[in-house]
Amino acid sequence: MPPTPTTPPDRGEPRIRDRGDACPGALRLHPADDGRLARLRLPAGKLTGDQTQALTVAAGRLGDGALSITSRGNAELRGLADGCGAELAEVLRDAGLLPSETHERVRNIVASPLAGLDGLGRADVQLWASELDALLCASGPAAALSGRFLFALDDGRGDVAGLGADVTLLAEAEGRAVLRIGRRTHRVRAADAARAALAAAEAFLAAAAEAGTGAWRVRELPDGQDIAVDAWLERAGVVPAPPAPADRTERSAPDQRPGPPPEGPAGPAAGPLPGIVAGPDGWAVSVAATLGRLTVDQLRELLPAPADEVRLTPWRGVVLPGFADRGTAEARLRALARAGLVTGTDSPWYGVGACTGRPGCAKSLADVRADVRADVAPGRGGLPVYWSGCERRCGRPRGDYVDVVATGDGGYRVTAHGVPVPVTSRAALADTIATARTRTTK
């Protein structure tokens, strides 16, 4: 068996849930201060050209004129009117974005965004995502999964394996994959990967029912609660894959850091770099959305999609595959730059993120997006920086980053590498953040 991850499951959320999961979806709209909010699950972040156009129409006609990319590569529509739920559902259903009304909130699947494009991965996990999505929608028990339960499908490069998913698949060489759920790991055949992931999720549901604590996530299960993954894999017809040859060094997934944040506008400075992506079968364009928001005009600039495919990433980015030559890809990249998207790491907005803040979020203590845009110039290089309107820090990135949190008195508290950074005045905040981004030691 592959080694068990050394990082224990995070126990930061409550051990006992005494209420149902109210996570928003496409049909269950959340009342926010700026109107209703819809969260659309997009397995592997994938959209067709027609689906992108449908979301453009929905954002402009029903929402606030923009689409937010979440920390799971999903999409959010904000500013929706109270009575627009039926019209929105019709738009989504006609575009194929609502394949199951009973399962639409459980289709939380992140996958390596560049899988199958740059020749670096060990499997095209985008195909796994499509198969897993179909299996989820066909599984009666899976409808009971929380809207927060997350699957991560990593093609071996280690980009999504560290996102704190409940069930992780990591592609290995020679047609194998490592299945990880909590502390348990299993090696399965790549051909069985999607079925194994579903079986693991159903094993979690059985364990959660046995525990009786209302757990939404694997890490919320009581200490010592068994997840009978072996029995569920056997029931699904998934047999163990042969071990790796003794003389082959296995690539392991990066450690999972504890405390994945609530889903929200995604954190910055990770995932595919903005620019041109070269691969054995063509070219792709990678861009980032400033503060995780795509305006209607920017959405229109993504079309036409050369491969009829748009991929949203868990790092507030967009990948457009399918360009036949570099010149065409570069022309599209220039057009996206003119539209205000981040197209290179030299952009002052690369690595800068923020939560929704006021006026959209009632819990926020500041209009953080306005403060980032107007009051404080974004810095360049170094650690990513993330602005939050309250201590929840929705959508914050994983790993090291400059943590800028509103204090409620018009100011912000700054922390880097877990160490507070003194802010002498509001006027000095920009310089303080710029200095904190370049710190390399605690």
Side-chain angles (χ1 to χ4, degrees):
M1 295 293 295
T4 299
T6 57
T7 304
D10 175 49
R11 302 292 177 180
E13 293 192 353
R15 300 283 183 92
I16 298 176
R17 298 284 192 183
D18 57 2
R19 61 181 175 86
D21 174 22
C23 198
L27 301 177
R28 177 188 288 178
L29 306 187
H30 171 73
D33 273 18
D34 58 348
R36 299 277 171 173
L37 177 152
R39 182 172 297 156
L40 318 178
R41 270 63 178 190
L42 307 176
K46 289 176 69 171
L47 291 164
T48 65
D50 286 345
Q51 289 170 340
T52 305
Q53 178 61 30
L55 292 183
T56 302
V57 171
R61 189 173 74 207
L62 304 176
D64 63 1
L67 188 77
S68 296
I69 305 175
T70 78
S71 52
R72 294 180 170 187
N74 289 323
E76 284 183 353
L77 294 169
R78 301 190 66 95
L80 298 166
D82 286 345
C84 78
E87 184 178 358
L88 174 62
E90 183 179 0
V91 170
L92 299 178
R93 193 177 292 110
D94 290 346
L97 290 168
L98 197 56
S100 170
E101 296 191 5
T102 56
H103 291 67
E104 60 95 7
R105 293 188 310 129
V106 308
R107 302 166 65 231
N108 285 307
I109 305 171
V110 296
S112 300
L114 296 182
L117 300 181
D118 59 1
L120 297 182
R122 290 173 167 170
D124 188 350
V125 294
Q126 297 279 328
L127 300 177
W128 292 1
S130 297
E131 182 182 356
L132 176 57
D133 183 32
L135 291 171
L136 277 172
C137 290
S139 165
L145 289 171
S146 161
R148 308 185 187 201
F149 195 91
L150 179 63
F151 298 87
L153 314 183
D154 193 301
D155 70 355
R157 73 185 69 215
D159 56 349
V160 301
L163 293 183
D166 298 279
V167 174
T168 298
L169 286 171
L170 180 70
E172 291 187 324
E174 301 177 1
R176 296 186 307 272
V178 171
L179 170 73
R180 187 169 65 200
I181 176 169
R183 294 176 178 270
R184 290 180 173 270
T185 56
H186 297 260
R187 181 174 282 109
V188 300
R189 297 181 305 163
D192 293 335
R195 286 193 296 129
L198 175 63
E202 292 179 341
F204 158 76
L205 287 172
E210 181 180 341
T213 57
W216 295 343
R217 307 289 306 274
V218 169
R219 67 177 184 273
E220 294 178 10
L221 290 173
D223 290 326
Q225 175 65 49
D226 182 48
I227 304 177
V229 181
D230 298 86
W232 284 85
L233 290 175
E234 183 178 356
R235 182 180 305 180
V238 176
V239 298
D247 61 349
R248 184 181 297 274
T249 301
E250 293 293 339
R251 180 189 297 182
S252 60
D255 287 341
Q256 294 194 50
R257 298 173 183 269
E263 185 168 14
L273 296 177
I276 302 295
V277 179
D281 299 317
W283 304 81
V285 167
S286 173
V287 297
T290 301
L291 300 183
R293 296 272 281 172
L294 290 167
T295 66
V296 166
D297 288 340
Q298 289 171 337
L299 284 165
R300 291 193 183 105
E301 287 293 334
L302 297 175
L303 301 173
D308 194 33
E309 183 178 319
V310 175
R311 299 183 184 182
L312 305 186
T313 80
W315 302 279
R316 66 187 181 124
V318 181
V319 174
L320 288 176
F323 292 91
D325 59 85
R326 184 181 182 95
T328 306
E330 288 178 341
R332 177 62 66 87
L333 191 68
R334 290 192 294 271
L336 294 173
R338 290 192 295 270
L341 290 160
V342 177
T343 58
T345 56
D346 58 344
S347 167
W349 288 107
Y350 180 68
V352 179
C355 72
T356 296
R358 289 178 179 170
C361 178
K363 292 183 171 60
S364 180
L365 301 176
D367 187 345
V368 291
R369 290 172 181 264
D371 288 345
V372 175
R373 290 181 178 277
D375 296 341
V376 179
R380 291 176 181 264
L383 290 176
V385 56
Y386 196 78
W387 294 62
S388 302
C390 73
E391 297 293 340
R392 296 187 308 161
R393 299 174 175 84
C394 292
R396 70 187 183 271
R398 298 180 68 83
D400 263 344
Y401 67 99
V402 178
D403 186 26
V404 184
V405 181
T407 56
D409 56 2
Y412 287 86
R413 183 179 68 252
V414 179
T415 305
H417 297 295
V419 178
V421 180
V423 182
T424 58
S425 67
R426 179 58 184 271
L429 183 57
D431 289 339
T432 302
I433 293 172
T435 300
R437 295 187 76 179
T438 60
R439 286 191 175 186
T440 57
T441 58
K442 295 184 179 181

